[in-house]
Amino acid sequence: ELKVEQNPLFLSMQEGKNYTIYCNYSTTSDRLYWYRQDPGKSLESLFVLLSNGAVKQEGRLMASLDTKARLSTLHITAAVHDLSATYFCAVVRGGATNKLIFGTGTLLAVQP
Amino acid sequence: KAGVTQTPRYLIKTRGQQVTLSCSPISGHRSVSWYQQTPGQGLQFLFEYFSETQRNKGNFPGRFSGRQFSNSRSEMNVSTLELGDSALYLCASSYRQGGYEQYFGPGTRLTVT
């Protein structure tokens, strides 16, 4: 059974600092997604990573994928308060399916 | 381009009743998936539909069912509601199965009393 673990579960950081959220998954997968969720809201798509070594960047967020290590990272550069949200990674095992297996989420609180 | 729409946005039901939730995907998208989000269990997969066929089903009891219509709109139904069914129900829209982005709707907040 495919399992997805994120750490940390909660991250409090100061504005201007850098940090990384880790996403580990238990079996081979060919797709990894990152989403953002604000309180009481739906999921906003951030990145789709499709191959080993894939790296994508948008603003202060950069995501990477290492399929051999079964690890994805979401790196936050020079955090700002607007980045405060819960971040989820989700994995699709492969084949003709869109079934997402989600991690537990990381609650990020950026303090001014 | 309009996003994913879900109706209703909020719903309050009583135990034992049934409920139907609707999801309209982005125009041109033919894949719709449903998820349940609760504080205790997180985000869990319910079903996946493509071209009116259920392609995958999650580990939920038979009280949970769904379908997809020829215009790609999807509905899910929960019969004999239980308190534990209170959750945010999200649907995701994608062009098709494979390495495409999956866009989520605003969700339906179901409260069972």
Side-chain angles (χ1 to χ4, degrees):
Chain A
E1 182 188 347
L2 176 56
K3 292 187 178 179
V4 183
E5 292 185 352
Q6 280 182 244
N7 67 82
L9 297 183
F10 177 70
L11 179 54
S12 178
M13 55 191 299
Q14 288 185 312
E15 281 192 329
K17 299 290 188 182
N18 303 333
Y19 210 82
T20 301
I21 299 171
Y22 297 89
C23 174
N24 292 271
Y25 51 98
S26 60
T27 61
T28 302
S29 166
D30 65 2
R31 276 172 269 157
L32 191 139
Y33 297 75
W34 283 97
Y35 288 94
R36 167 184 171 145
Q37 186 175 41
D38 291 298
K41 304 287 187 181
S42 185
L43 298 170
E44 175 189 352
S45 178
L46 294 174
F47 302 108
V48 182
L49 302 170
L50 300 177
S51 60
N52 187 43
V55 178
K56 289 195 175 180
Q57 183 163 6
E58 181 72 36
R60 301 174 188 275
L61 301 178
M62 183 175 73
S64 65
L65 178 62
D66 182 343
T67 58
K68 294 178 182 176
R70 297 178 189 160
L71 171 69
S72 179
T73 60
L74 181 66
H75 187 72
I76 303 152
T77 302
V80 293
H81 181 68
D82 284 352
L83 289 178
S84 297
T86 300
Y87 292 85
F88 291 94
C89 66
V91 174
V92 176
R93 185 159 191 173
T97 179
N98 281 338
K99 176 182 175 180
L100 293 166
I101 306 298
F102 280 90
T104 49
T106 296
L107 175 58
L108 174 65
V110 181
Q111 312 296 338
Chain B
K1 197 173 187 179
V4 183
T5 59
Q6 290 187 246
T7 57
R9 294 292 310 280
Y10 303 92
L11 208 47
I12 300 175
K13 290 286 190 179
T14 305
R15 272 179 299 177
Q17 289 186 313
Q18 75 165 14
V19 67
T20 299
L21 312 181
S22 179
C23 172
S24 292
I26 293 169
S27 177
H29 285 194
R30 293 162 59 195
S31 172
V32 174
S33 302
W34 288 89
Y35 295 84
Q36 180 196 65
Q37 186 176 27
T38 60
Q41 300 298 317
L43 282 152
Q44 293 186 287
F45 170 79
L46 282 158
F47 335 92
E48 173 185 11
Y49 290 91
F50 179 72
S51 293
E52 302 178 66
T53 302
Q54 187 178 89
R55 303 291 175 153
N56 240 315
K57 188 177 192 303
N59 292 327
F60 281 82
R63 301 184 296 107
F64 291 80
S65 62
R67 58 179 174 169
Q68 186 180 33
F69 301 96
S70 59
N71 62 358
S72 295
R73 189 177 70 85
S74 178
E75 288 182 348
M76 66 165 282
N77 183 276
V78 187
S79 62
T80 320
L81 284 166
E82 300 179 359
L83 294 178
D85 297 333
S86 294
L88 179 65
Y89 290 87
L90 295 162
C91 82
S93 162
S94 183
Y95 173 64
R96 61 171 300 142
Q97 294 160 313
Y100 297 92
E101 285 205 60
Q102 298 190 50
Y103 299 94
F104 281 81
T108 294
R109 174 77 61 184
L110 172 65
T111 302
V112 182
T113 62

